[in-house]
Structures are given as structure tokens and as C-alpha cells.
Amino acid sequence: MIPPFRQLLFTLLTSVYLSEPAKAEPPLITAEDLRKIAPFAKESYIHDIIDSRENLEAHGINTRLRMAHFLAQVMTETGGLKSLEQSGLDIAADPDLARDSDVALAAALAFWSRNAINKAADSHDRLKVRVLVNGPAANGFAQSKAWFNKIWNEALRDRELLGFEANGDLVPTLGSQDVASFDEILEETGFLDPASLALENAGNARRESILAFQRENGLRETGELDLATEDALLDPLQWRHRQAGPDDTALLNLLHRDATVRIDLKTGAVIVRSASGFEASSGRVTATAGGPSTAPSATSTEPSEQLAALLAMATPIYPEYAPVGDFNENPPSGVVQYGVIGDDDRFAATLEFDPLSHPFSSTVYILFKNKYGEEKSCTGAMVAPKAVLTAAHCIHSGTVKGAPYSDFVVVPGWVGGSINFGDCKALSAQVMGGWLAATSHTELHESDLGLIKLDCEIGKETGWFAMRALGEEEVGLEITVQGYASDRDPRAMQWLSKDWIREMQARKGFHRADTYGGTSGAPIYVSADNKTLVGIHTNTYFGLEEPWKSNNGFSPLTPERLAIISDWIDK
């Protein structure tokens, strides 16, 4: 009989020598991947990255999303692993960085960890990642997005099949975004007029801009985004010289989250106002419903040909912090379609309300043009005779690099083929200071609230919502979301869905009422009385963490915000 210890030793030895050798873990990124992503990269730089596998893992760069973000920044700073001279590293102080790419990589990894950039990468917050690398100006942001798309689409998206973590369905990177990123670069370099992309000959406009860029940079004139042209557009020389302009610098110095920004929608001029004079109301109800005491005697008319044309062209606008994912292939668990969670329980608001009465008459369709001249749509809520509360992303694209929208047309109570109250144009708008001051997607979603001032007092005919502050203890309050969803026919119809407040944070609330594109800016009101506004719908589920990934979001009305809104209305 073999003694127990010898039996154990025999078992261990045979398991070592007789079993199959353990298979090595597949690498997250390979040299072949890097050559495909950056075809003009130096081989020595490629090998330094591949040889740094253990160092990358030591710094927590061990998921597809973290690797994609890290490599996107490395590619942006080095022009696709071509040169460290343009990398932003302090080569003058430390010449070894220029000679030794492995030293430069170690420095980049130390910087990455020291600034906790993995956290921003885990949230897929591309703006925050770029700000942490480059500073508040976020120069090279468009290039970093283009690099991320290349890295994800050409190398890392399919790594899930090799056993890496499965979060591909929550990283909304579509092939079409590659073109959009290069359009943005061509615009920043002065070769592309964004308004030309809204015309029927947008393809020709893009081709002409590429030809002009190729001509000026001594490239073969193909009019196509060939490898050489992409390489030139992604070169750090295209953005390294740019700094925040004097206007941007002044704005950044003045802006903070609780300031307010007034936008002249005729000229695009921006004025920053301090919020120091705003006094928060301690009461629940700070504004009562208003308008005619009886149902208005509106005259129903058909929309003009111009309005009908705008409606036909309009597509929804989405906030950059919650981009639309490709959910047709890999929908998140429980999601039917964008903004719809579980069974779609939306129904036409005309089944519950008279289109000539509140809240139908006080809910408005907002049409406007983005910077590319494309017709876009949102929803809003009348809160005074000539004031509409909506989402900030329905007014301005966000951050100091963004721009206000234009050519606003506001139509209250539009239903099918009937315009019951006419329409108004917009004179000015106000947004939270944090919407422009934001240096991350988190800061954007916490400031997504704005107000449009109209050129007519149409609210005297339609009526307007009462407003009150929400308390964090009001989780469970039954609410209704009512707006102009873009996926239903007729387009000019309000659709509503009911739920309750699932979670409250200081500047964000969450619900699971079903929504769709076009519902951005829609009123969220108390279901018990159908007239008290407590928030503005802003976004659908997004990201990798709760409560974001399982709930739709809204900007709640707080005592501080009600004081600011009151000031907006008065001014």
C-alpha cells in the first residue's frame, strides 16, 4: 500500500507530466492588430506595446474597453505610433523619451494610473478620457474618437469570442461614426462647411473638402478617405497647435455648474450669468398652472406646407452622453428597442386627453436645425405664456466646443393633420452653466436642462404646467412622460407612458416609462393631477453601471433649479 504522502506526491507529479500543457491566455491586442489599425507605425513601437503586456495588466488595462481607450490616446498623441516628437511628452526635459519608446510607454502608463483614467474608460466617457489626457480644451478629441472607432471595430470588438468580457452591446460604436469623426476633423481644419452635409449633394461636398485637403497637403487627389489621407488627418500637427480661443477661455473662467448661460438664438451670442443671486424655494409648489380658465376656442387648421416639410425631414436628436447603440444585433437584457424597456405600453395621448386642453395643449413639438443644417426634433413643456422648458441638448450641443441650434419652430398641441394654436419662433434660450462647462459625460447629464423664450405669448391660449420640486424621498411617485415620439405614426402625435420614480440623485432621476427619440425634453408630470411638472425627460438607458443601464433618465426639478427657472422666465 502506498503511503498517503507518496500517493499525493505521485498524483501531483503525474498531473504535471502526463496532463496536457496549459494553454496560454490569448493576448488582448496583437502586433497584427496594431499594424492593421496603424499601417504606418514604427515596428519598434509596435513591439514595445506587445512586450509591455504585463505592465499594461499591472496598470489595469486588461479589458477591451480600457485597452481601446488607452490605445486611442496613444495613437492620437503619436500620430499612429509614428513619432514621439509630437507626443506631448516633455522630451526637452528628458531626451531619453525620444530615444526609448519603452520609456515613453512606461511614462504614459504611469500617467494613466496616476490620473485614474481607467474609471472614465469603464464608463466609455470619451470626452472625460481626452480631458484627462489633454486638459480642459480637449484638443485632438475628434482624432481620438476616430482612433477609438478603428481600434474597436478592427481589433477589439470580436475579442469576446476569445473569452474576454462581454460588454460589446453596450459600446455604441457604429461604422457610420468613422465618417462622422473625419467630417469633424475636416470641419475643424477649415475644409468642410458642416451646413453642406445637410444638402442633397452632401456626398459631393465631402468629396470636395477631401480633395482640397489632399491638394494642400501634397497628397494624391482621390477625393476619398484613403489610408494616406486618413493618416494625414489623424496627424497631431492638425490639432497640436490649437489652444482654447480667447472666447472659450473667458467662458471657461466664468462657467461653473450652477451658473446660467443665456443664448441669443438669432446671433448665437452667449452670455454667462452667476447663480449667486438665486434663492432656492423651500416650498413644494413654486409655480401654479396657468392659462385660460376654460378650454380655449382654438381654430383647427392644417399645417402649412413649410411645417409639413419640416416635420417630414426631422429626425430625433440625442445627447452625446447617451449615444444610440446598435441594439438591433445585441440588445441589452430586457430592452425591446431604444427607450422601450420590456413591453411597449405607450399609447396616444388623445385616448386620455382632449387635444384642446391641458396637458395636451401645454406639450409642444420643437423643430430646429443643428450645426449641419439637419432638421431635428424634441418635445417641451409650456411653463409660462412665452416660455418652454426642455432639455439642454435640445438647445445646444454642449461644452465650450459645442454650438447652439437655430431656426426653432415651436408648435403646441400639434395632433396629426391639425394645428390648433399656431406656432411660434424662438428668440433666446437659457441653459445650466454646467452644460457648457462640462468636461465629462457625467457633468453633461447632470446639467441637461434649458428654457426657450418665444416671440409670442401662445401660453395664454394653451395654458401651462405648474411646477414643484422633487424630494429624494419621493421614490415611488407615479409619473407620466408625454411627448412626440419619432417612431410612431402619425409623427405629429403625443404618446404617453406611465411609471414611477425608480431612483433619485441630487441632479438626476430615473424611471422606466417607455420613450423613443423625439421625446427628449418631454414633460414628466405627476400622474395624480396631470398638471404638476416635476422633471424633464432627457435620455434612455446607457453605460455599464446601474442605475444608468436599466432606466431612462430625467432632469428633476429641485428647489435650486426652480429658483433659476423662475429667473429665466422673468428675464
Side-chain angles (χ1 to χ4, degrees):
M1 181 177 179
I2 302 176
F5 176 77
R6 290 179 61 191
Q7 177 68 52
L8 176 60
L9 183 61
F10 177 78
T11 302
L12 289 172
L13 289 172
T14 54
S15 67
V16 171
Y17 290 106
L18 300 181
S19 62
E20 292 185 8
K23 294 183 179 179
E25 289 290 328
L28 190 51
I29 198 78
T30 67
E32 183 180 353
D33 292 331
L34 293 176
R35 294 186 190 103
K36 184 178 180 181
I37 295 163
F40 302 103
K42 287 186 177 180
E43 278 295 312
S44 60
Y45 294 174
I46 290 176
H47 287 299
D48 284 335
I49 290 178
I50 299 305
D51 293 343
S52 297
R53 179 176 176 180
E54 290 185 2
N55 204 10
L56 287 163
E57 292 181 353
H59 286 274
I61 302 175
N62 52 12
T63 70
R64 292 181 298 159
L65 202 48
R66 291 181 179 185
M67 180 66 80
H69 278 288
F70 177 75
L71 288 178
Q73 299 305 315
V74 169
M75 296 293 182
T76 301
E77 296 292 324
T78 63
L81 299 178
K82 290 187 303 182
S83 172
L84 294 178
E85 297 292 340
Q86 298 292 334
S87 67
L89 295 168
D90 192 355
I91 291 173
D94 189 355
D96 286 340
L97 293 177
R99 292 190 294 269
D100 301 320
S101 55
D102 57 339
V103 175
L105 181 59
L109 286 168
F111 178 90
W112 190 269
S113 291
R114 186 167 62 251
N115 289 277
I117 304 179
N118 278 333
K119 183 177 180 181
D122 289 342
S123 299
H124 191 43
D125 192 337
R126 298 201 276 193
L127 174 60
K128 184 66 173 179
V129 170
R130 189 60 193 156
V131 166
L132 288 171
V133 170
N134 181 259
N139 290 323
F141 182 42
Q143 281 83 354
S144 71
K145 289 189 288 186
W147 278 117
F148 181 94
N149 292 344
K150 286 167 67 71
I151 293 162
W152 187 262
N153 291 332
E154 297 181 14
L156 292 174
R157 180 170 53 190
D158 297 330
R159 282 295 190 271
E160 180 184 339
L161 301 177
L162 297 179
F164 290 98
E165 82 294 343
N167 61 6
D169 56 322
L170 295 178
V171 183
T173 306
L174 311 180
S176 61
Q177 289 185 341
D178 293 337
V179 175
S181 295
F182 283 105
D183 283 347
E184 190 175 345
I185 298 170
L186 286 166
E187 178 192 346
E188 288 181 350
T189 51
F191 289 93
L192 179 64
D193 177 3
S196 66
L197 296 180
L199 305 176
E200 291 184 2
N201 61 346
N204 288 336
R206 182 179 290 111
R207 185 174 186 276
E208 289 300 319
S209 70
I210 294 172
L211 281 170
F213 177 83
Q214 291 169 332
R215 192 175 303 119
E216 182 163 313
N217 287 272
L219 301 170
R220 189 164 66 93
E221 296 180 26
T222 65
E224 303 291 335
L225 280 173
D226 51 46
L227 286 177
T229 304
E230 284 191 8
D231 182 65
L233 286 167
L234 294 174
D235 194 296
L237 291 173
Q238 301 298 336
W239 59 265
R240 184 77 68 192
H241 65 283
R242 289 201 306 271
Q243 300 296 329
D247 292 340
D248 288 349
T249 301
L251 274 178
L252 285 169
N253 290 337
L254 288 170
L255 283 169
H256 55 86
R257 182 166 57 192
D258 294 322
T260 67
V261 177
R262 182 183 183 277
I263 304 169
D264 186 324
L265 294 176
K266 298 292 185 181
T267 65
V270 171
I271 300 173
V272 180
R273 296 180 59 235
S274 169
S276 59
F278 301 149
E279 295 183 4
S281 171
S282 59
R284 279 288 187 213
V285 179
T286 62
T288 58
S293 57
T294 59
S297 56
T299 301
S300 176
T301 61
E302 292 185 0
S304 65
E305 290 185 5
Q306 181 183 13
L307 264 182
L310 293 179
L311 176 66
M313 292 187 294
T315 59
I317 198 159
Y318 301 100
E320 184 172 336
Y321 63 79
V324 183
D326 187 5
F327 296 142
N328 293 326
E329 295 181 4
N330 297 300
S333 177
V335 171
V336 178
Q337 54 184 335
Y338 187 76
V340 176
I341 304 172
D343 295 333
D344 189 346
D345 65 3
R346 292 174 295 163
F347 60 92
T350 50
L351 296 177
E352 190 158 313
F353 302 114
D354 179 351
L356 299 181
S357 301
H358 181 84
F360 199 105
S361 60
S362 307
T363 301
V364 306
Y365 206 151
I366 305 174
L367 296 165
F368 56 93
K369 286 182 171 59
N370 66 7
K371 70 174 183 177
Y372 298 107
E374 298 168 328
E375 200 65 36
K376 294 293 180 179
S377 69
C378 277
T379 303
M382 296 296 306
V383 292
K386 56 189 305 183
V388 173
L389 199 63
T390 188
H393 76 261
C394 297
I395 296 171
H396 187 285
S397 57
T399 79
V400 293
K401 288 182 173 293
Y405 303 132
S406 62
D407 297 344
F408 284 81
V409 180
V410 175
V411 187
W414 192 349
V415 53
S418 298
I419 300 291
N420 294 315
F421 302 98
D423 62 83
C424 299
K425 305 299 187 293
L427 296 175
S428 63
Q430 310 257 13
V431 297
M432 303 297 295
W435 187 249
L436 270 71
T439 57
S440 72
H441 288 163
T442 298
E443 293 172 7
L444 280 172
H445 72 63
E446 289 183 344
S447 302
D448 199 355
L449 185 67
L451 181 137
I452 299 172
K453 294 296 284 288
L454 305 177
D455 66 351
C456 62
E457 294 186 325
I458 203 165
K460 290 183 176 180
E461 299 179 44
T462 65
W464 58 86
F465 285 91
M467 293 184 287
R468 78 163 173 85
L470 271 178
E472 292 188 21
E473 75 282 359
E474 291 193 86
V475 171
L477 177 69
E478 293 187 0
I479 50 94
T480 301
V481 183
Q482 185 167 326
Y484 287 95
S486 64
D487 65 322
R488 294 293 186 89
D489 289 324
R491 285 284 302 278
M493 171 59 74
Q494 294 174 24
W495 301 89
L496 65 81
S497 178
K498 301 184 179 185
D499 193 53
W500 60 90
I501 295 176
R502 304 284 180 140
E503 185 169 331
M504 282 288 296
Q505 297 179 356
R507 291 178 172 82
K508 203 74 178 182
F510 300 89
H511 65 83
R512 304 194 82 189
D514 293 324
T515 65
Y516 203 83
T519 316
S520 288
I524 292 183
Y525 57 83
V526 179
S527 298
D529 67 9
N530 298 326
K531 67 179 182 180
T532 304
L533 190 71
V534 292
I536 291 294
H537 175 71
T538 55
N539 60 275
T540 185
Y541 48 81
F542 70 95
L544 305 174
E545 299 178 356
E546 296 291 1
W548 309 101
K549 73 175 185 178
S550 299
N551 298 277
N552 293 328
F554 70 98
S555 290
L557 301 188
T558 63
E560 294 78 13
R561 284 177 171 175
L562 283 175
I564 291 172
I565 293 167
S566 177
D567 180 80
W568 287 350
I569 292 171
D570 291 342
K571 298 297 183 184

